[in-house]
Amino acid sequence: MLAEDSICDPRNLYSGFAPYKSINSFEDLVKQNPIKVDYRGDSVSVDSFIKVLTGRHPFGTPFNKMMRSNKNSKVFIYLTGHGGNGFFKFRDYEIITSREIATIIDEMYLQKRFKELLFITDTCQANTLFNYIETPNVFGISSSDFEQNSFSVLPDSVIGLPLADVFTFELLKTFEKNILNQTIVDWVSNLNTLKLPSTIRFFSSSKSNRNSQSVSFKDFFYC
């Protein structure tokens, strides 16, 4: 899901490009990492997000707009944008609450739509989105604690805006360095030693079937 099309946005002076400064270079994300976007613009909403996760689509919905997972699936959810204490914004005029997120994940579990789920949130007060999740086998990473903001980084003098968020930038470093074997607990601990502007938290539901200390990125990403 991609709520905004920054590539074609008239405010983007790098017309046709999605710029990002990696560790050592200036990259165009579209050319370097082509991806297919199934929901964009107005089709990105709380309603469509819920339908994708729960599978409650109307008749005739094409397969590419469905998440056809099952009881053996490792599901990954990544939310980045604006939020606050117990809520996340969709396109600046809709919100989804932490209670709603917990209900949705619980429904997914009852429907056997995942074996394990990794939920990453990069927003202000991100850790509050985990407040009501009690579903088994759910793990999470949040970019900020209660009453903390998440901050941007890499300001670009041409666009006049930062090109990344601090947390997302550090996460991308992990993928670029190909250190996915590291456990998420260790990764979060190491990241917090860097004295970032917000506290990174690892979440594990109390009813999980395995030791949260053993969960790593490679469990959810095939590289």
Side-chain angles (χ1 to χ4, degrees):
M1 290 186 169
L2 188 63
E4 295 184 357
D5 191 352
S6 59
I7 300 170
C8 299
D9 193 305
R11 295 172 294 178
N12 181 7
L13 298 183
Y14 301 104
S15 181
F17 293 87
Y20 157 68
K21 289 180 180 177
S22 67
I23 299 174
N24 299 311
S25 65
F26 184 90
E27 295 181 358
D28 173 24
L29 287 182
V30 177
K31 289 184 178 180
Q32 296 292 333
N33 305 283
I35 58 173
K36 183 177 180 181
V37 179
D38 297 314
Y39 291 82
R40 65 171 69 243
D42 291 342
S43 66
V44 178
S45 65
V46 172
D47 181 64
S48 60
F49 179 68
I50 293 174
K51 286 176 178 175
V52 168
L53 295 180
T54 61
R56 292 191 268 114
H57 296 281
F59 179 77
T61 301
F63 286 155
N64 69 298
K65 292 184 177 292
M66 299 180 182
M67 185 181 75
R68 291 179 289 168
S69 59
N70 56 48
K71 63 181 181 180
N72 296 314
S73 298
K74 301 288 186 78
V75 173
F76 171 56
I77 301 173
Y78 195 109
L79 291 181
T80 180
H82 295 297
N85 183 11
F87 71 90
F88 179 83
K89 283 187 176 182
F90 275 69
R91 306 181 68 247
D92 279 343
Y93 65 85
E94 275 190 304
I95 66 168
I96 188 168
T97 67
S98 54
R99 288 184 183 274
E100 290 173 313
I101 290 172
T103 300
I104 292 163
I105 292 176
D106 202 39
E107 181 178 338
M108 293 173 66
Y109 178 77
L110 293 174
Q111 292 178 336
K112 295 181 171 55
R113 291 181 63 79
F114 67 85
K115 180 178 181 180
E116 291 182 333
L117 187 148
L118 176 62
F119 181 23
I120 298 181
T121 60
D122 184 2
T123 183
C124 296
Q125 305 192 68
N127 196 50
T128 62
L129 293 179
F130 301 141
N131 282 351
Y132 300 99
I133 298 176
E134 298 180 353
T135 311
N137 305 325
V138 177
F139 308 99
I141 311 172
S142 58
S143 64
S144 56
D145 220 339
F146 173 59
E147 294 188 333
Q148 286 186 340
N149 293 325
S150 286
F151 293 92
S152 53
V153 71
L154 304 176
D156 183 82
S157 59
V158 176
I159 298 179
L161 294 169
L163 298 181
D165 292 326
V166 172
F167 172 79
T168 297
F169 181 65
E170 294 297 333
L171 182 60
L172 285 171
K173 283 184 182 179
T174 301
F175 286 90
E176 290 180 344
K177 292 178 179 178
N178 196 24
I179 52 177
L180 299 182
N181 287 331
Q182 185 179 28
T183 66
I184 295 178
V185 170
D186 288 343
W187 180 79
V188 168
S189 178
N190 292 337
L191 206 57
N192 283 324
T193 64
L194 300 179
K195 297 183 179 179
L196 301 178
S198 59
T199 305
I200 314 303
R201 295 289 186 190
F202 173 71
F203 168 83
S204 175
S205 57
S206 59
K207 301 176 183 178
S208 296
N209 293 336
R210 67 162 164 152
N211 187 347
S212 61
Q213 301 288 324
S214 67
V215 180
S216 67
F217 286 111
K218 70 179 178 61
D219 295 329
F220 296 88
F221 296 93
Y222 300 95
C223 300

